[in-house]
Structures are given as structure tokens and as C-alpha cells.
Amino acid sequence: MNLIKNKPQIIAMQEGGKILRSILKKLKAMIKPGLMTMDLELEFLRLCEEHKVIPSCKNYQTHGLPPFPTGLCISINDQAVHCYPDKGQYLKEGDSIAVDTVISYKGMHVDSAFTCVAGSADSETERFIEVTQMASSAGIKQAIAGNHVGDISYAIQTIMQLAGFNVLRDFVGHGIGLSMHESPDIPCYGKKGQGLKLQSGMTLAIETLACQGEPDIDYPGPDAWQTKMADGKKFAIFEHTVLVTEKEPIILTK
Ligand code: MF3
Ligand code: CO
């Protein structure tokens, strides 16, 4: 698989990234106590139609799992990656909510996620989400040609752990483009200078997968998609699709 994207592919991802950013902005504005998470899903699917983009997660199949049922992944509090929005699920004051999704435009995927709070939360939750966003920015800053994947991983892990939090081990960021998940894996833990050397033209979905407590994951659902933090503490994610260049990384979904 060619990890270096050509000009038309990059332009498609730039356009798709802009659309995804505008969709996520609209979804974020809906978040408040009392919201049913399925209403975010319905609005997301409507916005995909309006913008003529494909919700890539819906019916996505991998690892022999059943097709992913929704276009959005939504996690509340201790729910972790790949949880579904639900008709019976309502946000309460102080809940944290992570929204993660992928769209495809002109055959190219872009992936982005954010975490926020419904209403206002306790100061420790607010700090956790802020630190996760800072770690995400620091990781993205390392996505420069000549650096290694490990430079991204190290930046993310260091910031989360210095602040007293942790990173998931069981899930990772990834290359993205013609497929939702391409090489390389981009863990949230690692050492400077290790892993694949980055080249100009690579497109990476850099995911900061963070936890307030221990990184162990449980699979509580009827299938192996939905996950939660085993210790019941909070999960947060920030994710952007980024184009590697010789200088500054270009965040396609920001
Ligand atoms: N950012 C998530 C990931 O890369 C998006 C998941 S979409 C799903 O895993 F279809 F796999 F759920
Ligand atoms: Co992703």
C-alpha cells in the first residue's frame, strides 16, 4: 500500500476534512444535558447526506466483528472506544461525551474525534479533558517529515502521564486515506526515534486515547465492539487527520 498520497488524493482529504470539521462543530453545539445520543447520530447522517459524504463507520467490518451499526462512535464517561449511540441514552449534567467518526469524500477517508462535557463537570474532569487536548496538539506537532512515529507517541504519553493520567494500550491511531485504517499504527505510548520514519505526503489519524485511571479495557456488550474502562474512570479522545510535510503538519480536520 502506498502511504504517500498524490495531489488529487490530498485535495480530496483537504475538502473532506473541512466538511468533517463543520459537521463535528454542529454536533458539538447540540451537546447539553437531556440530549439523547441517538439524536446526534440522526443529525450526523442527515449532515452527511447534505454534504454528499459517506459515513464510513456505518456497516464497517473488521476483525470478523459484526458490521458497525452507526455512523458515530459515542462514549459517555467510562465508556471507551467504539461505543454506539442509543435511543435510551440521555446526557446528564456533568457527563463527559466523546464523539468519534470517519467520513469518506471522493474515495478518501478522514477521521476526527473530540471530547467535551454536557453542562459543566467537576474540575478534575475538566482538567483531564484539557490535558488530553494538549497532548493531542503536542503529538500532532511531531508529525513532520524525518521524525518517527515514536516521537508522536512519546509526546502524547509524556503529557498524559506527567499530569497524572494515562493512555490506552489496546487501541492506536493509524494511517488513513483510501482505507479508514492504514499503516502505520500510531500508539499513544512509545519512545522518541522509534517506529516508522515519517515522509512528506503521509496522512495520519493521530488519536490521543486517554484515561483518568488505569488503561485496562472491558468489553461489556453483546459483541466485541463496545468497550469501557475497567476501573470505571473516565475516557477521553481527541483525534485529527494530519498531512505530514517537511515543515508544519497540516491538520486536515481543523
Ligand atoms: N477513530 C476510530 C478508529 O479509528 C473510528 C472508528 S470507526 C468504526 O477506530 F467503524 F471502527 F467504529
Ligand atoms: Co481513528
Side-chain angles (χ1 to χ4, degrees), residues 16-235:
K18 237 186 220 167
I19 295 170
L20 181 53
R21 170 185 59 184
S22 80
I23 290 177
L24 289 180
K25 199 173 159 196
K26 286 182 185 151
L27 298 183
K28 191 170 179 196
M30 291 171 65
I31 291 172
K32 58 172 198 276
L35 178 76
M36 181 173 69
T37 57
M38 189 52 91
D39 284 339
L40 285 173
E41 169 74 10
L42 296 177
E43 180 62 4
F44 172 69
L45 295 178
R46 194 191 69 73
L47 287 165
C48 284
E49 264 192 49
E50 187 178 301
H51 289 280
K52 303 197 168 19
V53 298
I54 297 167
S56 313
C57 298
K58 196 167 168 70
N59 297 320
Y60 180 65
Q61 276 184 288
T62 187
H63 293 97
L65 290 169
F68 195 79
T70 53
L72 294 178
C73 302
I74 292 191
S75 322
I76 312 295
N77 297 325
D78 62 344
Q79 288 187 308
V81 297
H82 304 157
C83 291
Y84 324 140
D86 191 48
K87 281 200 198 90
Q89 188 183 47
Y90 292 85
L91 295 178
K92 298 187 307 304
E93 177 80 28
D95 278 347
S96 64
I97 169 170
V99 179
D100 182 4
T101 193
V102 185
I103 62 167
S104 130
Y105 179 70
K106 295 185 178 166
M108 301 301 288
H109 297 273
V110 284
D111 187 349
S112 184
F114 67 88
T115 304
C116 65
V117 163
S120 56
D122 58 284
S123 60
E124 200 48 15
T125 297
E126 302 277 3
R127 186 175 78 92
F128 170 56
I129 295 171
E130 259 169 50
V131 169
T132 306
Q133 189 161 20
M134 281 171 46
S136 168
S137 301
I140 289 168
K141 277 211 178 82
Q142 295 297 320
I144 303 167
N147 274 4
H148 293 254
V149 167
D151 297 318
I152 300 172
S153 310
Y154 176 83
I156 293 172
Q157 179 177 24
T158 308
I159 290 181
M160 292 312 305
Q161 291 186 338
L162 279 176
F165 304 122
N166 217 326
V167 291
L168 270 54
R169 316 288 156 146
D170 300 12
F171 299 93
V172 294
H174 47 95
I176 185 165
L178 285 166
S179 306
M180 182 195 301
H181 294 125
E182 298 183 351
S183 254
D185 280 356
I186 307 172
C188 298
Y189 54 91
K191 293 201 172 73
K192 282 186 194 175
Q194 287 194 342
L196 185 76
K197 192 170 176 178
L198 302 177
Q199 286 174 262
S200 202
M202 287 180 175
T203 45
L204 309 175
I206 299 178
E207 311 196 19
T208 296
L209 298 152
C211 51
Q212 241 179 344
E214 295 304 314
D216 309 85
I217 293 283
D218 272 350
Y219 294 82
D223 62 49
W225 273 116
Q226 302 194 81
T227 66
K228 72 178 280 296
M229 301 316 303
D231 64 5
K233 295 191 178 169
K234 286 193 167 70
F235 162 79

